[in-house]
Amino acid sequence: METPKELYGFDIKMSEIRAPVIASNVFKTKKGNIFIKIQSTYNELMEYLKENKLIKTGHVSISYIPIMGDSLQVTVGVPVNESAPPGKEIKCLSLPAKGKVLVGNYEGKFSNRQKIYNAMTKYLTDHNLAIPAESFERYLNDSIPTSDSSEIRMELDYPVY
C-alpha cells in the first residue's frame, strides 16, 4: 500500500486541533503589501498578548483568502493559553477541542507552497472530506515570510469532518 508521501508527494495525516484558543487579527490588503502588513499585524498581536498577560502556546498561523483583483483577506493568529477581551482589531477565537484537521508539511520557498495546497486538495477529494472552515498555515520555525523567496517550514492545516 502506498503512503500519502508516495502518493501525494508530501506527508499528509489526520490530527486534532492543538490550539483551542487563538488571538487573531483579520485584514484585507493588496498582494504587494502582504509581507509588511503580516509583520505589523504579528507585532500588534504580540503587544496584545503582553497587555492581556497571555502566553503564546504554539506557532503563528496565517490564512490567506483571495478576494477581488489582487487583494487578499488575511488572518494572522497566535495560539494563547486563555481567552481575553477583544482589542481594537484583535479577537480571541475558540476552536472545537476535539476538532479534526488534515495536516500536511511543506519546506521550501514561500512562492512554491502551492504544491502542498494542490496535494492536499487531491487528498481531500480522494477521501471525500468536507472542509467546514478555511485552511491555515502554521509556521513551524515561527519565521513569518518576508518575501516570496523566503525559505519556510510550515504545516498546512485543513479543518475537516
Side-chain angles (χ1 to χ4, degrees):
M1 191 163 97
E2 292 183 78
T3 67
K5 178 130 177 118
E6 292 167 331
L7 199 55
Y8 300 100
F10 295 93
D11 285 320
I12 298 173
K13 63 182 183 275
M14 200 61 73
S15 185
E16 285 187 354
I17 290 175
R18 293 173 295 272
V21 182
I22 297 181
S24 68
N25 186 332
V26 180
F27 62 87
K28 292 180 173 81
T29 188
K30 300 273 187 207
K31 285 182 184 172
N33 301 333
I34 186 131
F35 300 110
I36 293 165
K37 188 71 174 133
I38 285 172
Q39 189 60 59
S40 67
T41 299
Y42 175 73
N43 293 342
E44 289 169 19
L45 281 163
M46 295 313 290
E47 189 59 36
Y48 171 84
L49 267 63
K50 194 162 44 172
E51 288 169 8
N52 289 280
K53 297 177 178 50
L54 297 173
I55 299 167
K56 180 175 174 272
T57 60
H59 301 293
V60 176
S61 63
I62 303 177
S63 171
Y64 306 88
I65 303 170
I67 48 181
M68 293 196 6
D70 70 340
S71 296
L72 295 168
Q73 177 178 300
V74 179
T75 304
V76 179
V78 176
V80 292
N81 59 320
E82 62 187 14
S83 209
K88 62 177 180 169
E89 294 170 3
I90 298 171
K91 293 181 189 148
C92 284
L93 306 173
S94 294
L95 304 175
K98 293 290 180 190
K100 297 276 186 212
V101 286
L102 185 66
V103 173
N105 290 304
Y106 171 80
E107 207 167 320
K109 278 192 172 33
F110 179 81
S111 60
N112 292 337
R113 75 194 196 296
Q114 188 60 44
K115 293 174 186 173
I116 185 75
Y117 279 89
N118 296 343
M120 288 187 66
T121 298
K122 183 159 177 30
Y123 186 103
L124 289 161
T125 302
D126 291 351
H127 293 84
N128 296 315
L129 294 168
I131 309 165
E134 290 299 323
S135 63
F136 55 94
E137 301 175 4
R138 290 180 68 233
Y139 293 92
L140 301 180
N141 52 4
D142 266 357
S143 81
I144 298 167
T146 55
S147 73
D148 275 336
S149 60
S150 291
E151 288 290 324
I152 59 169
R153 261 185 68 226
M154 74 167 209
E155 177 185 281
L156 179 58
D157 290 14
Y158 275 90
V160 293
Y161 63 86

